[in-house]
Amino acid sequence: MRKSKNILFIAVVALASAIILSEFGLIRALRLASLSYIILHCCFIIFFQIALSVLIMVRYPISRGKKILALSVFFFLITALWLLLIGYRQFVAGIVCSGVALSCITLFWDGPKKIRWRGLACAGLSFLMIVTVCLSCYLPGKIQMKKRLEDAPLADHSAGFAHANAPKTVYRFPLTEYKTEDGVLLKSLQGCLGLTSDVQILLENRYEDQRNRELYSIPVYLETIEKYYPEVTLTEVNDFEELLEKVGPLIENYILCDEEDPESCTVAFNLCHRFRSVVLGKTHLRYAEKYGWKRVFDTTGKDEKWLMNSEYFASLNKSFVFMSKPLSMFGSYADYVIISGSWMFNLKSTIKELEKILCHLDRNFILVGGLNGMDERAVVSAVSRYSGTFIFSGAMCNVSALSGFRLEDAAKTGVNTESGVKRKTTNPNTETGKGKHTVCVVLSDGDNMRFVSGEALAYPNFLGSDQRTKENNLTYGMSGMATLLMPLVLLAHYDRMSPAEDYVMQLGSVGYVLPSYWQDDEAFGKVTDLLAQSMEVADIHVVELMDDISFLDATDAVTDYNSMQRYFDKYTSYDNINGCLFINFMDLYSGFKGKVCWSNNKPVVSARYSVWNDIDNSLASEQNSIEYIADAINHASRDERSEDGYSFIIMHAWSGLDENGNLVPNRDAVAAMTKLVSLFDEDVDVVSAEEFIDRMNKNVKR
C-alpha cells in the first residue's frame, strides 16, 4: 500500500514538473499561437484540479460539502491567478499557476496534520522551480540590456546610408541560365564597380514563366532611369564574356573562395569592401589571368567563426547588417555589402542562433533578411529586444546599382522636388464627411523592401493590377529603407500613382519593429528620428505601427488599447506625423476593432477590419471576407464627430481575387480592394490615409 502510494506521489510530481518545464521549453522555442496557449493552460488547471480532488476526497476526513467548497475556492484562486498573469506573458502564467498547484499537492499529500519532510521538501522544490524558471525569463534580459547599454555603441543613421557611385553607364545583363559560380562573380562585380567606378550592372532574371516576380520590376526601373536620369547610358549585354570584356579592365583585385562552400563565400564578401575586390571561385580563375586581377586573399576553408575571431571583424559595419543565402546569390544583398562594408552572415534556422549574432550588433542596428523557417513574430520580437529594426526582405537583386541613383541628381520633373518627392495626392478636404462613414483602405506589407521595390511596382497581383484605377482612393505601404537607400524606387511609385491614391510608411521604423519589446529609450529615439526623416523625404504624414499580443489577454481580446500610448507618443511628437494607423500581429491585424488612442492630440487608429484569406492561416473567417466587411460598413455610424464614424481597413497583400471574383491566397490584392469599395453605399466615403487622419483631427470630439 505504502509502495503504491509512493509511486503515485512520485508520478504526480514528475508529471507536473514535466508539464511546467515542457511548457517553458515549447513557448521559448516555438512561440505557440494563442489558441494553443489556452488549450495548454486549461489542461494544466484541469489536471491539477482532478489531482487535488482525489487527494481531498481520499485524505481529508471532512464533510462532502466542505470538500466541494474547498475545491471551488482552490479552482477560483488558480483561475484568477492565471487570468491575472496571462495578460503579461502567457507562459509565465502557466508556469506559476502550475507550480502553485503542485506545491499544494505535495505539501498536503499526507494530510493537514501530517506534513512531513517529504511534503515540505517537494513544496520548497516546486517554489524554487517557479522562481528559477520565471527569473530565467526576466533576469537575463535585464542583465543583457544593461550590458548592451554600457558596452554597445549607439548607431546613428541620420547622416544617411552608403550609396554606390552615381552611374554614368549601366549594363543590363539578362540571366537566362543561372549558375552559382556566375552569381558569385556577378554580385561581387556589381558591388566592386559601385564602390570604385561610375559603371554599374543591372541583372535581369529572365525566365520563360512570365508570372515570375523578379522580371516585372526591371522595365519599371528602366523607364524611371530614362525619365529622371537621362544622362545615364543604358546598354544591354547578352553574353557573359562580352560583359566581362567591358567591365573586367575596371577591376584590380580579387578574393579566392570555395564557390561550393557557403561559409567561404560569405567570408569573401565580407572582406571585399576592405580590399576593393571581386570574389572568384576556381571555375573563373581564367578571368583573373586575362584581366590582370591581383589575388589579395583566399577564404578557402574559412567560416563565420574564423571571421569573428579575425582582425577584420572589428572593421565591419555592425549597425546595418544582412542575413543572406550566399549560394542563392542572385537574390542576396552581397553586392550592397561591398558598398557599405556591412557584416553579412548566413541565414539562421533558430532564434537561439540568431540571438548569438544580435548580441554583437550596435544598438539601433538595422537587420535585413528573410526568415528561413523561423517564426516571424519570434524574429521581430528578438530583434526589437536587442534594440534593432528588422527589414523583412528574403531576397532582392540590384541594391548596389539602385543605390547609386541619388534623389538630388534626378531631373526635377513631375513628382521630384528640391527637398524630396511630392506625392500626387489631392489636398485633404476636412469639411467633408458630414453624414457619412469615412473609410481608409490600406494594402499591407509595405515594410518589405523587396516587395516595395520589386513585386509591388508592376506585378499583376499588386500595383501592376489592371484593377488599379484613378478613382479608387486606395492607400499603399512604403518602405522607409527603400526611400532612403533607393529613392529611384520612390520616384517609380509616385510616377505611377493617381491623385486619388496615397501612401503610408510601414511599420513603425524604416523597417519593422514591435515597440513594446524595446527597453532602450535612447536607441528608440534614433529609430523614430530616422522614420520621421524618411517620411519627410517621401512626403508621407501617416505611419502604420504594429505590435504583438504582449498587451492582450489569452483570447487576443482588447485589454486596454491606451496602454500603448507611451509608445504612440514617441511617434506623434513629430510635427510631420499627423497621426498613426495601428495593426496588431495576432487576430489578423484587426484585434482592436477600430479603437482609437489620442496621442499628443493626434489619432492612432486601430484596424477595424482586415480582408484576409491566406492558406497558411487558419484564423481567417467570414469576418475577413469582402461581403461581411462591406455589409458591416454600410450599417456603421455616419456621425463624423464620433470615432465610430471612421474605419481603417487593412488589406492583406498576399490575399486577393481570382478570375472568378473569389477571395483566395496569393492573387490580385488591388482587385479585392476595388471590389470592397464597390460594395459600399453612397454615404460611405473612401479616402486617402492622410485625409482620413485629417478628418478625425478636424471633426472628432474627444
PDB file of all heavy atoms in Angstrom, residues 640-663:
ATOM      1  N   GLU A 640     -19.786  62.032 -38.056  1.00  0.00           N
ATOM      2  CA  GLU A 640     -18.386  62.411 -38.257  1.00  0.00           C
ATOM      3  C   GLU A 640     -17.737  62.928 -36.985  1.00  0.00           C
ATOM      4  O   GLU A 640     -16.504  63.051 -36.918  1.00  0.00           O
ATOM      5  CB  GLU A 640     -18.275  63.468 -39.366  1.00  0.00           C
ATOM      6  CG  GLU A 640     -18.658  64.882 -38.970  1.00  0.00           C
ATOM      7  CD  GLU A 640     -20.170  65.115 -39.018  1.00  0.00           C
ATOM      8  OE1 GLU A 640     -20.915  64.143 -39.293  1.00  0.00           O
ATOM      9  OE2 GLU A 640     -20.604  66.247 -38.784  1.00  0.00           O
ATOM     10  N   ARG A 641     -18.533  63.202 -35.942  1.00  0.00           N
ATOM     11  CA  ARG A 641     -17.975  63.685 -34.673  1.00  0.00           C
ATOM     12  C   ARG A 641     -17.580  62.541 -33.752  1.00  0.00           C
ATOM     13  O   ARG A 641     -16.936  62.751 -32.736  1.00  0.00           O
ATOM     14  CB  ARG A 641     -19.000  64.584 -33.973  1.00  0.00           C
ATOM     15  CG  ARG A 641     -19.384  65.833 -34.749  1.00  0.00           C
ATOM     16  CD  ARG A 641     -20.612  66.486 -34.175  1.00  0.00           C
ATOM     17  NE  ARG A 641     -21.759  65.571 -34.222  1.00  0.00           N
ATOM     18  CZ  ARG A 641     -22.960  65.860 -33.721  1.00  0.00           C
ATOM     19  NH1 ARG A 641     -23.164  67.022 -33.126  1.00  0.00           N
ATOM     20  NH2 ARG A 641     -23.941  64.979 -33.812  1.00  0.00           N
ATOM     21  N   SER A 642     -17.958  61.304 -34.120  1.00  0.00           N
ATOM     22  CA  SER A 642     -17.681  60.130 -33.292  1.00  0.00           C
ATOM     23  C   SER A 642     -16.578  59.275 -33.902  1.00  0.00           C
ATOM     24  O   SER A 642     -16.446  59.187 -35.128  1.00  0.00           O
ATOM     25  CB  SER A 642     -18.960  59.294 -33.141  1.00  0.00           C
ATOM     26  OG  SER A 642     -18.678  58.037 -32.574  1.00  0.00           O
ATOM     27  N   GLU A 643     -15.801  58.632 -33.038  1.00  0.00           N
ATOM     28  CA  GLU A 643     -14.781  57.692 -33.513  1.00  0.00           C
ATOM     29  C   GLU A 643     -15.419  56.545 -34.282  1.00  0.00           C
ATOM     30  O   GLU A 643     -14.782  55.946 -35.167  1.00  0.00           O
ATOM     31  CB  GLU A 643     -13.982  57.151 -32.323  1.00  0.00           C
ATOM     32  CG  GLU A 643     -13.164  58.211 -31.603  1.00  0.00           C
ATOM     33  CD  GLU A 643     -12.539  57.699 -30.318  1.00  0.00           C
ATOM     34  OE1 GLU A 643     -12.801  56.517 -29.968  1.00  0.00           O
ATOM     35  OE2 GLU A 643     -11.804  58.453 -29.653  1.00  0.00           O
ATOM     36  N   ASP A 644     -16.670  56.212 -33.970  1.00  0.00           N
ATOM     37  CA  ASP A 644     -17.367  55.124 -34.656  1.00  0.00           C
ATOM     38  C   ASP A 644     -17.686  55.464 -36.107  1.00  0.00           C
ATOM     39  O   ASP A 644     -18.070  54.579 -36.881  1.00  0.00           O
ATOM     40  CB  ASP A 644     -18.665  54.780 -33.923  1.00  0.00           C
ATOM     41  CG  ASP A 644     -18.414  54.192 -32.543  1.00  0.00           C
ATOM     42  OD1 ASP A 644     -17.330  53.604 -32.349  1.00  0.00           O
ATOM     43  OD2 ASP A 644     -19.279  54.335 -31.664  1.00  0.00           O
ATOM     44  N   GLY A 645     -17.545  56.730 -36.482  1.00  0.00           N
ATOM     45  CA  GLY A 645     -17.828  57.151 -37.846  1.00  0.00           C
ATOM     46  C   GLY A 645     -16.665  56.959 -38.796  1.00  0.00           C
ATOM     47  O   GLY A 645     -16.735  57.391 -39.958  1.00  0.00           O
ATOM     48  N   TYR A 646     -15.596  56.269 -38.309  1.00  0.00           N
ATOM     49  CA  TYR A 646     -14.380  56.106 -39.113  1.00  0.00           C
ATOM     50  C   TYR A 646     -13.911  54.651 -39.033  1.00  0.00           C
ATOM     51  O   TYR A 646     -13.904  54.055 -37.957  1.00  0.00           O
ATOM     52  CB  TYR A 646     -13.279  57.042 -38.615  1.00  0.00           C
ATOM     53  CG  TYR A 646     -13.670  58.501 -38.672  1.00  0.00           C
ATOM     54  CD1 TYR A 646     -14.431  59.078 -37.657  1.00  0.00           C
ATOM     55  CD2 TYR A 646     -13.309  59.291 -39.758  1.00  0.00           C
ATOM     56  CE1 TYR A 646     -14.817  60.401 -37.720  1.00  0.00           C
ATOM     57  CE2 TYR A 646     -13.679  60.625 -39.829  1.00  0.00           C
ATOM     58  CZ  TYR A 646     -14.439  61.174 -38.806  1.00  0.00           C
ATOM     59  OH  TYR A 646     -14.819  62.485 -38.872  1.00  0.00           O
ATOM     60  N   SER A 647     -13.468  54.114 -40.155  1.00  0.00           N
ATOM     61  CA  SER A 647     -12.980  52.731 -40.191  1.00  0.00           C
ATOM     62  C   SER A 647     -11.712  52.643 -41.032  1.00  0.00           C
ATOM     63  O   SER A 647     -11.702  53.042 -42.205  1.00  0.00           O
ATOM     64  CB  SER A 647     -14.037  51.778 -40.772  1.00  0.00           C
ATOM     65  OG  SER A 647     -15.140  51.659 -39.897  1.00  0.00           O
ATOM     66  N   PHE A 648     -10.673  52.104 -40.406  1.00  0.00           N
ATOM     67  CA  PHE A 648      -9.438  51.769 -41.114  1.00  0.00           C
ATOM     68  C   PHE A 648      -9.489  50.273 -41.425  1.00  0.00           C
ATOM     69  O   PHE A 648      -9.625  49.450 -40.527  1.00  0.00           O
ATOM     70  CB  PHE A 648      -8.238  52.147 -40.239  1.00  0.00           C
ATOM     71  CG  PHE A 648      -6.967  51.385 -40.516  1.00  0.00           C
ATOM     72  CD1 PHE A 648      -6.552  51.100 -41.809  1.00  0.00           C
ATOM     73  CD2 PHE A 648      -6.152  50.962 -39.461  1.00  0.00           C
ATOM     74  CE1 PHE A 648      -5.380  50.396 -42.051  1.00  0.00           C
ATOM     75  CE2 PHE A 648      -4.977  50.269 -39.688  1.00  0.00           C
ATOM     76  CZ  PHE A 648      -4.592  49.981 -40.990  1.00  0.00           C
ATOM     77  N   ILE A 649      -9.401  49.924 -42.714  1.00  0.00           N
ATOM     78  CA  ILE A 649      -9.453  48.533 -43.159  1.00  0.00           C
ATOM     79  C   ILE A 649      -8.099  48.169 -43.752  1.00  0.00           C
ATOM     80  O   ILE A 649      -7.602  48.863 -44.647  1.00  0.00           O
ATOM     81  CB  ILE A 649     -10.561  48.317 -44.207  1.00  0.00           C
ATOM     82  CG1 ILE A 649     -11.925  48.709 -43.629  1.00  0.00           C
ATOM     83  CG2 ILE A 649     -10.581  46.865 -44.680  1.00  0.00           C
ATOM     84  CD1 ILE A 649     -13.048  48.704 -44.662  1.00  0.00           C
ATOM     85  N   ILE A 650      -7.508  47.088 -43.271  1.00  0.00           N
ATOM     86  CA  ILE A 650      -6.218  46.633 -43.788  1.00  0.00           C
ATOM     87  C   ILE A 650      -6.452  45.476 -44.756  1.00  0.00           C
ATOM     88  O   ILE A 650      -7.194  44.537 -44.444  1.00  0.00           O
ATOM     89  CB  ILE A 650      -5.267  46.227 -42.631  1.00  0.00           C
ATOM     90  CG1 ILE A 650      -3.877  45.857 -43.160  1.00  0.00           C
ATOM     91  CG2 ILE A 650      -5.856  45.121 -41.799  1.00  0.00           C
ATOM     92  CD1 ILE A 650      -3.042  47.035 -43.544  1.00  0.00           C
ATOM     93  N   MET A 651      -5.834  45.558 -45.918  1.00  0.00           N
ATOM     94  CA  MET A 651      -5.941  44.513 -46.935  1.00  0.00           C
ATOM     95  C   MET A 651      -4.663  43.695 -46.931  1.00  0.00           C
ATOM     96  O   MET A 651      -3.572  44.215 -47.192  1.00  0.00           O
ATOM     97  CB  MET A 651      -6.144  45.155 -48.319  1.00  0.00           C
ATOM     98  CG  MET A 651      -6.102  44.171 -49.470  1.00  0.00           C
ATOM     99  SD  MET A 651      -7.543  43.093 -49.537  1.00  0.00           S
ATOM    100  CE  MET A 651      -6.810  41.574 -50.163  1.00  0.00           C
ATOM    101  N   HIS A 652      -4.767  42.403 -46.618  1.00  0.00           N
ATOM    102  CA  HIS A 652      -3.609  41.525 -46.607  1.00  0.00           C
ATOM    103  C   HIS A 652      -3.060  41.391 -48.023  1.00  0.00           C
ATOM    104  O   HIS A 652      -3.767  40.968 -48.947  1.00  0.00           O
ATOM    105  CB  HIS A 652      -4.023  40.149 -46.068  1.00  0.00           C
ATOM    106  CG  HIS A 652      -2.900  39.178 -45.957  1.00  0.00           C
ATOM    107  ND1 HIS A 652      -2.969  37.900 -46.465  1.00  0.00           N
ATOM    108  CD2 HIS A 652      -1.673  39.293 -45.397  1.00  0.00           C
ATOM    109  CE1 HIS A 652      -1.839  37.263 -46.224  1.00  0.00           C
ATOM    110  NE2 HIS A 652      -1.027  38.087 -45.588  1.00  0.00           N
ATOM    111  N   ALA A 653      -1.786  41.760 -48.210  1.00  0.00           N
ATOM    112  CA  ALA A 653      -1.211  41.800 -49.557  1.00  0.00           C
ATOM    113  C   ALA A 653      -1.180  40.443 -50.233  1.00  0.00           C
ATOM    114  O   ALA A 653      -1.191  40.358 -51.463  1.00  0.00           O
ATOM    115  CB  ALA A 653       0.201  42.380 -49.493  1.00  0.00           C
ATOM    116  N   TRP A 654      -1.145  39.369 -49.437  1.00  0.00           N
ATOM    117  CA  TRP A 654      -0.998  38.031 -50.015  1.00  0.00           C
ATOM    118  C   TRP A 654      -2.334  37.303 -50.114  1.00  0.00           C
ATOM    119  O   TRP A 654      -2.391  36.084 -50.217  1.00  0.00           O
ATOM    120  CB  TRP A 654       0.006  37.230 -49.198  1.00  0.00           C
ATOM    121  CG  TRP A 654       1.254  38.026 -49.007  1.00  0.00           C
ATOM    122  CD1 TRP A 654       1.651  38.671 -47.865  1.00  0.00           C
ATOM    123  CD2 TRP A 654       2.241  38.345 -49.991  1.00  0.00           C
ATOM    124  NE1 TRP A 654       2.818  39.350 -48.073  1.00  0.00           N
ATOM    125  CE2 TRP A 654       3.215  39.162 -49.374  1.00  0.00           C
ATOM    126  CE3 TRP A 654       2.407  38.013 -51.335  1.00  0.00           C
ATOM    127  CZ2 TRP A 654       4.323  39.655 -50.048  1.00  0.00           C
ATOM    128  CZ3 TRP A 654       3.520  38.505 -52.013  1.00  0.00           C
ATOM    129  CH2 TRP A 654       4.453  39.308 -51.373  1.00  0.00           C
ATOM    130  N   SER A 655      -3.424  38.075 -50.092  1.00  0.00           N
ATOM    131  CA  SER A 655      -4.764  37.569 -50.389  1.00  0.00           C
ATOM    132  C   SER A 655      -5.304  38.411 -51.546  1.00  0.00           C
ATOM    133  O   SER A 655      -4.923  39.567 -51.704  1.00  0.00           O
ATOM    134  CB  SER A 655      -5.687  37.702 -49.176  1.00  0.00           C
ATOM    135  OG  SER A 655      -5.129  37.088 -48.029  1.00  0.00           O
ATOM    136  N   GLY A 656      -6.195  37.853 -52.332  1.00  0.00           N
ATOM    137  CA  GLY A 656      -6.720  38.625 -53.457  1.00  0.00           C
ATOM    138  C   GLY A 656      -7.793  37.873 -54.213  1.00  0.00           C
ATOM    139  O   GLY A 656      -8.210  36.778 -53.814  1.00  0.00           O
ATOM    140  N   LEU A 657      -8.252  38.460 -55.316  1.00  0.00           N
ATOM    141  CA  LEU A 657      -9.330  37.862 -56.104  1.00  0.00           C
ATOM    142  C   LEU A 657      -8.772  37.032 -57.247  1.00  0.00           C
ATOM    143  O   LEU A 657      -7.804  37.421 -57.910  1.00  0.00           O
ATOM    144  CB  LEU A 657     -10.232  38.958 -56.687  1.00  0.00           C
ATOM    145  CG  LEU A 657     -11.047  39.815 -55.724  1.00  0.00           C
ATOM    146  CD1 LEU A 657     -12.033  40.676 -56.510  1.00  0.00           C
ATOM    147  CD2 LEU A 657     -11.775  38.975 -54.693  1.00  0.00           C
ATOM    148  N   ASP A 658      -9.414  35.884 -57.466  1.00  0.00           N
ATOM    149  CA  ASP A 658      -9.069  35.094 -58.648  1.00  0.00           C
ATOM    150  C   ASP A 658      -9.930  35.545 -59.830  1.00  0.00           C
ATOM    151  O   ASP A 658     -10.676  36.529 -59.739  1.00  0.00           O
ATOM    152  CB  ASP A 658      -9.224  33.602 -58.362  1.00  0.00           C
ATOM    153  CG  ASP A 658     -10.660  33.205 -58.029  1.00  0.00           C
ATOM    154  OD1 ASP A 658     -11.588  34.028 -58.226  1.00  0.00           O
ATOM    155  OD2 ASP A 658     -10.866  32.062 -57.561  1.00  0.00           O
ATOM    156  N   GLU A 659      -9.853  34.818 -60.944  1.00  0.00           N
ATOM    157  CA  GLU A 659     -10.581  35.202 -62.150  1.00  0.00           C
ATOM    158  C   GLU A 659     -12.093  35.160 -61.963  1.00  0.00           C
ATOM    159  O   GLU A 659     -12.842  35.824 -62.691  1.00  0.00           O
ATOM    160  CB  GLU A 659     -10.191  34.280 -63.317  1.00  0.00           C
ATOM    161  CG  GLU A 659      -8.742  34.416 -63.772  1.00  0.00           C
ATOM    162  CD  GLU A 659      -7.758  33.696 -62.851  1.00  0.00           C
ATOM    163  OE1 GLU A 659      -8.211  33.051 -61.876  1.00  0.00           O
ATOM    164  OE2 GLU A 659      -6.552  33.773 -63.109  1.00  0.00           O
ATOM    165  N   ASN A 660     -12.556  34.394 -60.967  1.00  0.00           N
ATOM    166  CA  ASN A 660     -13.997  34.270 -60.714  1.00  0.00           C
ATOM    167  C   ASN A 660     -14.488  35.216 -59.623  1.00  0.00           C
ATOM    168  O   ASN A 660     -15.646  35.142 -59.210  1.00  0.00           O
ATOM    169  CB  ASN A 660     -14.328  32.829 -60.321  1.00  0.00           C
ATOM    170  CG  ASN A 660     -13.982  31.848 -61.427  1.00  0.00           C
ATOM    171  OD1 ASN A 660     -14.245  32.111 -62.600  1.00  0.00           O
ATOM    172  ND2 ASN A 660     -13.387  30.713 -61.057  1.00  0.00           N
ATOM    173  N   GLY A 661     -13.610  36.090 -59.137  1.00  0.00           N
ATOM    174  CA  GLY A 661     -14.013  37.053 -58.121  1.00  0.00           C
ATOM    175  C   GLY A 661     -14.024  36.511 -56.717  1.00  0.00           C
ATOM    176  O   GLY A 661     -14.609  37.130 -55.817  1.00  0.00           O
ATOM    177  N   ASN A 662     -13.377  35.358 -56.480  1.00  0.00           N
ATOM    178  CA  ASN A 662     -13.318  34.771 -55.152  1.00  0.00           C
ATOM    179  C   ASN A 662     -12.055  35.214 -54.428  1.00  0.00           C
ATOM    180  O   ASN A 662     -10.986  35.345 -55.039  1.00  0.00           O
ATOM    181  CB  ASN A 662     -13.336  33.242 -55.247  1.00  0.00           C
ATOM    182  CG  ASN A 662     -14.590  32.726 -55.915  1.00  0.00           C
ATOM    183  OD1 ASN A 662     -15.690  33.166 -55.610  1.00  0.00           O
ATOM    184  ND2 ASN A 662     -14.428  31.796 -56.846  1.00  0.00           N
ATOM    185  N   LEU A 663     -12.177  35.435 -53.118  1.00  0.00           N
ATOM    186  CA  LEU A 663     -11.031  35.821 -52.302  1.00  0.00           C
ATOM    187  C   LEU A 663     -10.211  34.578 -51.985  1.00  0.00           C
ATOM    188  O   LEU A 663     -10.671  33.673 -51.289  1.00  0.00           O
ATOM    189  CB  LEU A 663     -11.500  36.498 -51.008  1.00  0.00           C
ATOM    190  CG  LEU A 663     -10.404  37.086 -50.113  1.00  0.00           C
ATOM    191  CD1 LEU A 663      -9.699  38.240 -50.819  1.00  0.00           C
ATOM    192  CD2 LEU A 663     -10.985  37.551 -48.781  1.00  0.00           C
TER     193      LEU A 663
END
